[in-house]
Amino acid sequence: MSIDKTDSAGTAQTSVDAAPAAAGASVTAVDPRLLVREQGFAGYISEFKRKIKGGDLGAIPVVIGLIVICAIFQSLNSAFLGAENLNNIFVAMVATGMMSVGIIFVLLLGEIDLSVGSVSGVSSAITAVLSVTHGMNEWLAVLVSLAAGAVIGAVHGFFFARVGAPAFAVTLAGLLFWNGFMLQILGSNGTINLDSDGVVGKLTTYYFSDVAAAYGLAVVAVLAYFVPSFLANRRREAAGIPSRPLSDLLVRTVLLAVGVFGVAVIFNNYKGLPLAVLLFGIVLVGSDFVLRRTSYGRKVFALGGSVEASRRAGINVTAVRISVFAIAGLFAAVGGLFWASKIAAANQGAGSGDLLMNVIAAAVIGGTSLFGGRGRTWNALLGVLVITSIQYGLALQGIATPIQYMITGGVLLATVVIDSVTRKTQKSAGRA
């Protein structure tokens, strides 16, 4: 049997051959960088086939799905890929996307948090009550609401990790309790209007109109990918460790540049770079770094793989679990502020409807496993793009909300089925 050892980016580094448990020839998994270096383009094909056979589909199904969605809706309405509609999709996805980033941390443990919708509503209500009703500085009110979201999540995590109550039951109770708390503090009026030119109001309405902003961010994104990757390859070569050739890195960088500069062109053809998208990008990069490049992130993945093995390895399981739910609560609060910004108000409907479904669906559709141990925060971007694109495409066609629910549910079911089949394939290939 061949056992792959992978680095934090999920790229195979070495292969160690061990005697197979059953009779038969051993199968050696080859480092993909060696394949590319020795076989060139043929190496890519070989590595792609190996991943497919091993059930490692990655983001392929989501990317194909996005392409199909765009093609269908563009054929039905030429305005779908217009600059205005695409800008609206990018800005609209941020609120759900922020909350989905937090839920990914919980899903990596193989758990669920059903309270994030209600927590997002509490966040907007706290901000509105403190800043409007009580005259508190809006920045301070925002900080208080974010802290409240983190504390609420930590309380849920305490009952789960320390008391031993099931996360499903704890967060279901939280869903009900915090929804009632939100209604209580909003009062009989039920709605508190926010200043559209205030801190929260500008989250989804402010644009950097100078074209240099979007193009500059695109340049930064490309350099942020190329430079660290180039230096890492140089260090690998110096240490005699397999590394991808420069041509491979250049191809990847060019593809990234085409994507980010294409998005920049879309932004500049409308109003410019949206503040909401910029903040979402910062959150994605930062959270991805935490998960893949820090010891804390490795502990989260370890718990998703095996709680008992993590405990024996010396990981403080209780502390990590509590912190993960606190992170989910924090990002739920952030998402709540973006939802409040869209309507410039905090009202009784905040956090209700299909929000919870969309948050979880975005994470799962993007590629995060419901079974724990597999996923990246970038999955939130892919998943929420799929969901928001479907919603806006159907809205352009005048399709009723019930049909939107049915289609989104069908996409979610298909994704879960793919996830389940993928796990079985990986187990059969000895990669799970």
Side-chain angles (χ1 to χ4, degrees):
M1 180 183 297
S2 175
I3 304 174
D4 287 343
K5 292 184 179 179
T6 60
D7 59 13
S8 57
T11 305
Q13 289 179 307
T14 59
S15 61
V16 180
D17 291 327
S26 62
V27 179
T28 303
V30 182
D31 191 306
R33 286 168 296 214
L34 285 175
L35 281 174
V36 173
R37 187 173 64 187
E38 295 174 359
Q39 302 177 16
F41 181 74
Y44 280 111
I45 302 300
S46 299
E47 174 59 10
F48 178 75
K49 291 180 179 178
R50 186 186 73 85
K51 287 185 174 182
I52 295 299
K53 289 180 180 179
D56 185 7
L57 300 178
I60 295 175
V62 189
V63 173
I64 293 176
L66 270 174
I67 294 173
V68 171
I69 289 169
C70 291
I72 292 175
F73 286 125
Q74 179 64 16
S75 66
L76 294 174
N77 192 321
S78 60
F80 181 79
L81 292 181
E84 181 177 358
N85 190 61
L86 289 178
N87 267 271
N88 291 337
I89 289 175
F90 279 113
V91 173
M93 75 178 186
V94 172
T96 303
M98 287 287 192
M99 298 173 67
S100 187
V101 169
I103 210 72
I104 284 174
F105 279 80
V106 178
L107 291 177
L108 287 174
L109 297 185
E111 302 296 338
I112 194 69
D113 188 344
L114 301 178
S115 68
V116 291
S118 295
V119 174
S120 70
V122 167
S123 167
S124 61
I126 290 176
T127 302
V129 169
L130 292 180
S131 62
V132 178
T133 306
H134 297 288
M136 179 183 288
N137 177 273
E138 192 174 5
W139 277 105
L140 183 57
V142 167
L143 293 177
V144 171
S145 68
L146 295 180
V151 170
I152 290 171
V155 170
H156 296 161
F158 173 82
F159 281 105
F160 164 62
R162 178 67 70 179
V163 178
F168 179 90
V170 171
T171 56
L172 178 59
L175 180 154
L176 298 172
F177 180 88
W178 298 116
N179 186 61
F181 182 77
M182 177 193 69
L183 298 177
Q184 180 67 29
I185 64 176
L186 283 176
S188 57
N189 240 357
T191 300
I192 300 177
N193 294 323
L194 296 167
D195 182 6
S196 58
D197 292 324
V199 176
V200 176
K202 287 186 176 181
L203 287 176
T204 56
T205 60
Y206 186 82
Y207 289 78
F208 298 94
S209 56
D210 192 331
V211 295
Y215 291 134
L217 182 62
V219 170
V220 170
V222 173
L223 292 178
Y225 171 78
F226 176 79
V227 174
S229 300
F230 177 77
L231 295 178
N233 278 351
R234 294 291 296 272
R235 290 194 296 268
R236 287 179 178 275
E237 291 174 359
I241 300 174
S243 60
R244 293 187 183 276
L246 180 60
S247 59
D248 173 58
L249 178 58
L250 290 176
V251 169
R252 292 168 178 264
T253 303
V254 169
L255 292 175
L256 174 64
V258 170
V260 294
F261 276 97
V263 174
V265 170
I266 293 171
F267 289 152
N268 284 333
N269 281 337
Y270 186 54
K271 294 181 179 179
L273 174 64
L275 173 62
V277 174
L278 174 62
L279 294 176
F280 189 35
I282 293 173
V283 165
L284 287 174
V285 173
S287 56
D288 183 67
F289 177 84
V290 169
L291 276 180
R292 299 197 303 117
R293 302 295 184 184
T294 67
S295 60
Y296 174 77
R298 289 190 286 272
K299 291 175 182 177
V300 173
F301 279 106
L303 259 66
S306 173
V307 175
E308 185 57 34
S310 300
R311 184 178 288 110
R312 294 184 179 184
I315 295 176
N316 189 333
V317 174
T318 300
V320 174
R321 281 175 161 176
I322 292 175
S323 67
V324 163
F325 277 88
I327 290 172
L330 172 63
F331 280 108
V334 173
L337 295 179
F338 277 90
W339 279 112
S341 176
K342 289 180 66 176
I343 60 174
N347 62 27
Q348 294 178 337
S352 59
D354 62 342
L355 177 58
L356 175 62
M357 178 196 74
N358 286 339
V359 169
I360 297 175
V364 177
I365 290 172
T368 301
S369 175
L370 282 170
F371 302 97
R374 191 180 81 240
R376 295 180 59 180
T377 52
W378 288 98
N379 296 148
L381 172 61
L382 294 173
V384 78
L385 265 177
V386 169
I387 291 175
T388 310
S389 296
I390 291 175
Q391 292 174 340
Y392 270 70
L394 294 175
L396 284 176
Q397 296 305 117
I399 305 297
T401 300
I403 304 299
Q404 296 183 27
Y405 286 171
M406 293 166 64
I407 293 177
T408 305
V411 173
L412 176 58
L413 177 61
T415 305
V416 174
V417 170
I418 291 173
D419 184 29
S420 300
V421 172
T422 296
R423 286 179 62 84
K424 290 181 181 179
T425 306
Q426 289 178 335
K427 286 182 179 179
S428 301
R431 294 175 58 84

